[in-house]
Amino acid sequence: MSLSNLFKIALRAIAANKLRSFLTMLGIIIGVASVITMLAIGQGSKRSIRRQISEMGSNMIMIMPGQDMRGGVRMDASEMETLKLTDYQALRDQCRYVSAISPVVNSSGQFINGNNNTPSTIYGVRGDYLEIRRLSIGDGEMFTDDDIRTSAKVCVVGKTVADALFPDGADPVGKVIRFNTILFRIVGVLESKGYNSMGMDQDDLVLAPYTSVMKRILAVTYLQSINCSALTEDLTDEAVDEIAATLRACHKLKGAADDAEADEDDFNIRSQEELASMMNSTTDLMTVLLACIAGISLVVGGIGIMNIMYVSVTERTREIGLRMSVGARGVDILAQFLIEAVMLSVTGGIIGVLAGVGAAYGVNLLARWPVYVQPWSVLLSFAVCTATGVFFGWYPAKKAAMSDPIEAIRYE
């Protein structure tokens, strides 16, 4: 029997029971749509997180003091004073894989302008900090190297701080604000960046010369951290190794970092690449989990196809006997019912793909969740539903093909 005739027979069988066929396909439709929607939400979240990390500086490297033993007591990293200005200068002069570098010191407190006040954090940095953190000046200008050298009382404020201190919409540039008891003149306002993926307001900050914060606010000679950028994201690992080697030399630590008998590092180095990898691993795990849960409905849909095919084989037992008695081979009967099962599955898969893509963009439109429908997820879902039709349709079709023609004709 030709393949075209088998397709016609399968189509007539499906058309003869439209409602039953649709209900059979419904499990596949829901399964495929669920898988595509869940994968789209997962991939959209992953891309959103990566984009926000990139906006924070995807090649940013943070150097912080490490824990150390003092008198037999392990001190907390925040209490250590292991990073000095000489470390920053050595890194700036010697590291070839570093494109921008800035010392960082900070203090939290109340900023006051007349009757308006707001709590925030002042960061002592240098000009490179803007490049490292992907910040830009929206109004006014950045403080200069002369301001750093003279420990000038000038600052650049974030949009959140500016709006809180100047609610009437006045231009903050040139105005004087007070941090605790120290007066600072605003020389610039940062462009707004909004909230990051961890819910932190990136506009709630004030930047000032690091020398001003160290001398006038904290009265310290050490740094709380050093931020820098690798030349490119791909060179982050090389930059981290170079920074570690330079700091070990500056701190006169014995041995190489990978030597078991070497002195332990008294600093910690963290890169945005590590954060991105951790976040990607988490989102990938959640995406797989969601897809697996949604994929259960595909199995349920496949079982529905097997059930209906069993019913169809039972109902058409006499038809099978008649076909075999006039010369139809077992392989023809097998192909007939297998094609019918695959057509149900594939048709449900096509409708499910359209429903899944529509549902994904509906989620984006109504819930404002980031979504991204990857072509491979559509192809994978379609391939799985086709395989489901073959897998769950095979046994009923095989049973039909092995029927005894005489017994089948006599079946009531």
Side-chain angles (χ1 to χ4, degrees):
M1 189 177 293
S2 67
L3 193 61
S4 60
N5 286 335
L6 292 174
F7 269 104
K8 290 177 183 177
I9 293 170
L11 279 172
R12 281 199 299 268
I14 293 172
N17 298 280
K18 296 183 180 65
L19 180 59
R20 188 172 74 180
S21 298
F22 175 74
L23 293 175
T24 303
M25 291 187 292
L26 194 58
I28 296 294
I29 293 171
I30 294 173
V32 171
S34 300
V35 169
I36 290 177
T37 304
M38 293 299 101
L39 288 175
I41 292 173
Q43 291 298 319
S45 300
K46 181 178 178 179
R47 290 168 68 90
S48 176
I49 291 171
R50 291 178 65 179
R51 183 173 61 251
Q52 292 189 33
I53 290 176
S54 178
E55 289 175 356
M56 293 168 59
S58 58
N59 55 343
M60 183 172 71
I61 300 170
M62 294 156 285
I63 308 160
M64 294 159 288
Q67 293 182 343
D68 196 8
M69 296 291 291
R70 296 289 175 86
V73 178
R74 182 169 291 277
M75 307 296 290
D76 186 78
S78 61
E79 300 176 4
M80 300 306 298
E81 303 175 8
T82 54
L83 292 180
K84 304 289 186 179
L85 280 173
T86 52
D87 297 327
Y88 151 69
Q89 292 162 356
L91 294 174
R92 182 191 60 189
D93 297 337
Q94 299 175 26
C95 291
R96 298 176 295 109
Y97 292 107
V98 172
S99 61
I101 186 168
S102 171
V104 180
V105 287
N106 66 80
S107 178
S108 297
Q110 205 75 9
F111 286 88
I112 301 169
N113 174 46
N115 294 326
N116 301 308
N117 65 87
T118 183
S120 189
T121 301
I122 186 168
Y123 292 88
V125 298
R126 67 184 299 264
D128 281 0
Y129 191 77
L130 296 182
E131 178 185 344
I132 296 168
R133 291 294 305 274
R134 301 287 194 272
L135 300 171
S136 57
I137 301 294
D139 190 18
E141 60 185 10
M142 186 63 173
F143 48 79
T144 65
D145 290 339
D146 285 338
D147 294 326
I148 294 174
R149 187 174 60 255
T150 59
S151 304
K153 293 185 286 186
V154 294
C155 67
V156 175
V157 298
K159 195 71 170 61
T160 298
V161 177
D163 291 343
L165 296 182
F166 302 92
D168 56 354
D171 185 5
V173 177
K175 302 293 193 301
V176 176
I177 60 175
R178 180 160 55 91
F179 176 72
N180 296 336
T181 60
I182 302 172
L183 299 178
F184 282 89
R185 179 171 57 86
I186 299 174
V187 296
V189 180
L190 295 170
E191 286 276 4
S192 177
K193 293 192 69 174
Y195 287 82
N196 62 20
S197 57
M198 290 164 283
M200 297 173 59
D201 187 356
Q202 299 179 90
D203 301 322
D204 187 12
L205 79 167
V206 175
L207 305 182
Y210 66 89
T211 51
S212 303
V213 176
M214 291 175 70
K215 295 178 181 179
R216 300 181 185 278
I217 298 177
L218 298 174
V220 297
T221 58
Y222 60 89
L223 303 176
Q224 293 169 334
S225 66
I226 299 173
N227 287 6
C228 56
S229 289
L231 289 173
T232 64
E233 189 173 348
D234 294 335
L235 293 175
T236 299
D237 290 339
E238 287 82 351
V240 168
D241 292 340
E242 188 178 48
I243 290 169
T246 303
L247 288 178
R248 287 185 65 85
C250 290
H251 296 182
K252 296 181 173 58
L253 299 177
K254 298 178 181 178
D258 55 356
D259 188 348
E261 298 181 358
D263 290 341
E264 186 179 351
D265 289 342
D266 58 358
F267 54 86
N268 290 316
I269 303 177
R270 295 287 180 267
S271 66
Q272 288 289 76
E273 187 179 4
E274 293 178 8
L275 176 61
S277 297
M278 181 187 70
M279 297 296 288
N280 287 341
S281 297
T282 303
T283 53
D284 285 344
L285 180 62
M286 292 303 298
T287 301
V288 171
L289 178 62
L290 291 172
C292 288
I293 294 172
I296 293 173
S297 56
L298 273 177
V299 178
V300 174
I303 294 172
I305 288 177
M306 177 182 281
N307 185 42
I308 293 301
M309 293 308 298
Y310 263 121
V311 172
S312 181
V313 168
T314 304
E315 287 180 346
R316 295 156 65 186
T317 301
R318 287 177 60 84
E319 176 190 333
I320 293 169
L322 288 171
R323 290 186 184 280
M324 296 183 78
S325 66
V326 295
R329 298 168 299 168
V331 68
D332 296 325
I333 302 299
L334 174 67
Q336 174 188 334
F337 284 93
L338 195 57
I339 288 172
E340 187 175 330
V342 171
M343 288 181 68
L344 285 171
S345 183
V346 169
T347 304
I350 293 172
I351 299 173
V353 166
L354 297 176
V357 173
Y361 286 107
V363 168
N364 176 253
L365 185 64
L366 298 176
R368 300 298 180 185
W369 287 358
V371 299
Y372 178 68
V373 179
Q374 290 187 314
W376 67 262
S377 67
V378 175
L379 295 175
L380 177 64
S381 299
F382 193 76
V384 168
C385 76
T386 303
T388 299
V390 173
F391 181 79
F392 287 101
W394 174 265
Y395 190 74
K398 186 69 174 176
K399 180 187 177 186
M402 295 177 66
S403 299
D404 184 344
I406 297 175
E407 293 294 330
I409 292 174
R410 295 171 56 188
Y411 181 81
E412 293 295 338

Coordinates of all heavy atoms in Angstrom, one line a residue, residues 347-377:
T347 N 0.5 17.4 14.8 CA -0.5 18.5 14.8 C -0.6 19.2 16.1 O -0.6 20.4 16.2 CB -1.8 17.9 14.3 OG1 -1.7 17.2 13.1 CG2 -2.8 19.1 14.2
G348 N -0.6 18.4 17.2 CA -0.6 19.0 18.5 C 0.6 19.8 18.8 O 0.6 20.8 19.5
G349 N 1.8 19.3 18.3 CA 3.0 20.0 18.5 C 3.0 21.3 17.8 O 3.5 22.3 18.4
I350 N 2.5 21.4 16.6 CA 2.5 22.7 15.9 C 1.6 23.7 16.6 O 2.0 24.8 16.8 CB 2.0 22.4 14.4 CG1 3.0 21.6 13.6 CG2 1.7 23.8 13.7 CD1 2.5 21.2 12.3
I351 N 0.4 23.2 17.0 CA -0.5 24.1 17.8 C 0.2 24.5 19.1 O 0.1 25.7 19.5 CB -1.8 23.4 18.0 CG1 -2.5 23.1 16.7 CG2 -2.7 24.3 18.9 CD1 -3.8 22.3 16.8
G352 N 0.9 23.5 19.7 CA 1.5 23.8 21.0 C 2.7 24.8 20.8 O 2.9 25.7 21.7
V353 N 3.4 24.8 19.7 CA 4.5 25.7 19.5 C 3.9 27.1 19.3 O 4.4 28.1 20.0 CB 5.3 25.3 18.2 CG1 6.2 26.5 17.8 CG2 6.1 24.1 18.5
L354 N 2.8 27.3 18.6 CA 2.2 28.6 18.4 C 1.7 29.1 19.7 O 1.8 30.3 20.1 CB 1.1 28.5 17.4 CG 1.5 28.1 15.9 CD1 0.3 27.9 15.0 CD2 2.5 29.1 15.4
A355 N 1.0 28.2 20.5 CA 0.5 28.6 21.8 C 1.6 29.0 22.7 O 1.5 29.9 23.5 CB -0.4 27.5 22.4
G356 N 2.7 28.2 22.7 CA 3.8 28.5 23.6 C 4.5 29.8 23.3 O 4.8 30.6 24.3
V357 N 4.7 30.1 22.1 CA 5.3 31.4 21.7 C 4.4 32.5 22.1 O 4.8 33.6 22.6 CB 5.7 31.4 20.2 CG1 6.1 32.8 19.8 CG2 6.7 30.4 19.9
G358 N 3.1 32.4 21.8 CA 2.1 33.4 22.1 C 2.0 33.6 23.6 O 2.0 34.7 24.1
A359 N 2.1 32.5 24.4 CA 2.0 32.6 25.9 C 3.3 33.3 26.4 O 3.2 34.1 27.4 CB 1.9 31.2 26.5
A360 N 4.4 33.0 25.8 CA 5.7 33.6 26.3 C 5.6 35.2 26.1 O 5.9 35.9 27.0 CB 6.9 33.1 25.5
Y361 N 5.2 35.6 24.9 CA 5.1 37.1 24.7 C 3.9 37.7 25.5 O 4.0 38.9 25.8 CB 5.0 37.3 23.2 CG 6.3 37.1 22.5 CD1 6.5 36.0 21.7 CD2 7.4 38.0 22.7 CE1 7.7 35.8 21.0 CE2 8.6 37.8 22.1 CZ 8.7 36.7 21.2 OH 9.9 36.5 20.6
G362 N 2.9 36.8 25.8 CA 1.8 37.3 26.7 C 2.3 37.6 28.1 O 1.9 38.6 28.7
V363 N 3.2 36.7 28.6 CA 3.8 36.9 29.9 C 4.6 38.2 29.9 O 4.6 38.9 30.9 CB 4.7 35.7 30.3 CG1 5.5 36.0 31.5 CG2 3.8 34.5 30.6
N364 N 5.4 38.4 28.8 CA 6.2 39.6 28.8 C 5.4 40.9 28.7 O 5.7 41.9 29.4 CB 7.1 39.5 27.5 CG 7.9 40.8 27.3 OD1 7.6 41.6 26.4 ND2 8.9 41.0 28.1
L365 N 4.2 40.8 28.0 CA 3.4 42.0 27.9 C 2.6 42.3 29.1 O 2.5 43.4 29.6 CB 2.4 41.7 26.7 CG 1.5 42.9 26.3 CD1 2.3 44.1 25.8 CD2 0.5 42.5 25.3
L366 N 2.1 41.2 29.8 CA 1.2 41.4 31.0 C 2.0 41.5 32.3 O 1.7 42.4 33.1 CB 0.2 40.3 31.0 CG -0.8 40.2 29.8 CD1 -1.7 39.0 30.0 CD2 -1.6 41.4 29.7
A367 N 2.9 40.6 32.5 CA 3.7 40.6 33.7 C 5.0 41.3 33.7 O 5.6 41.5 34.7 CB 3.9 39.1 34.1
R368 N 5.4 41.8 32.5 CA 6.6 42.5 32.3 C 7.9 41.6 32.7 O 8.9 42.2 33.1 CB 6.7 43.8 33.1 CG 5.6 44.8 32.8 CD 5.7 45.2 31.3 NE 4.6 46.2 31.0 CZ 4.4 46.6 29.7 NH1 5.2 46.3 28.8 NH2 3.5 47.5 29.5
W369 N 7.7 40.3 32.6 CA 8.9 39.5 32.8 C 9.7 39.4 31.5 O 9.1 39.3 30.4 CB 8.4 38.1 33.2 CG 7.9 38.0 34.6 CD1 7.8 39.0 35.5 CD2 7.4 36.8 35.2 NE1 7.3 38.5 36.7 CE2 7.0 37.2 36.5 CE3 7.2 35.5 34.8 CZ2 6.4 36.3 37.4 CZ3 6.6 34.6 35.7 CH2 6.2 35.0 37.0
P370 N 11.0 39.4 31.6 CA 11.8 39.2 30.4 C 11.7 37.8 29.9 O 11.8 36.8 30.6 CB 13.3 39.5 30.9 CG 13.2 39.1 32.4 CD 11.9 39.5 32.9
V371 N 11.5 37.7 28.6 CA 11.4 36.4 27.9 C 12.3 36.4 26.7 O 12.5 37.4 26.1 CB 9.9 36.0 27.5 CG1 9.1 35.9 28.8 CG2 9.4 37.0 26.6
Y372 N 12.7 35.2 26.3 CA 13.5 35.1 25.1 C 13.2 33.7 24.5 O 13.6 32.7 25.1 CB 15.0 35.3 25.3 CG 15.8 35.1 24.1 CD1 15.7 36.0 23.0 CD2 16.7 34.0 24.0 CE1 16.5 35.8 21.9 CE2 17.5 33.8 22.8 CZ 17.4 34.7 21.8 OH 18.1 34.6 20.7
V373 N 12.5 33.6 23.4 CA 12.2 32.3 22.8 C 13.4 31.9 21.8 O 13.6 32.6 20.8 CB 10.9 32.4 22.0 CG1 10.6 31.0 21.3 CG2 9.8 32.8 22.9
Q374 N 14.1 30.9 22.2 CA 15.2 30.4 21.4 C 14.8 29.4 20.4 O 13.9 28.6 20.7 CB 16.3 29.8 22.3 CG 17.1 30.8 23.2 CD 18.2 30.1 23.9 OE1 18.1 29.1 24.5 NE2 19.4 30.8 23.9
P375 N 15.3 29.5 19.1 CA 14.8 28.6 18.1 C 15.0 27.2 18.5 O 14.2 26.3 18.1 CB 15.7 29.0 16.9 CG 16.1 30.5 17.1 CD 16.2 30.6 18.6
W376 N 16.1 26.9 19.2 CA 16.4 25.5 19.5 C 15.3 24.9 20.5 O 15.0 23.7 20.4 CB 17.8 25.3 20.1 CG 18.0 25.9 21.5 CD1 18.6 27.1 21.7 CD2 17.6 25.4 22.7 NE1 18.7 27.4 23.1 CE2 18.1 26.3 23.7 CE3 17.0 24.2 23.2 CZ2 17.9 26.1 25.1 CZ3 16.8 24.0 24.5 CH2 17.2 25.0 25.5
S377 N 14.7 25.8 21.3 CA 13.7 25.3 22.2 C 12.4 24.9 21.4 O 11.8 23.9 21.8 CB 13.4 26.3 23.3 OG 12.8 27.5 22.7

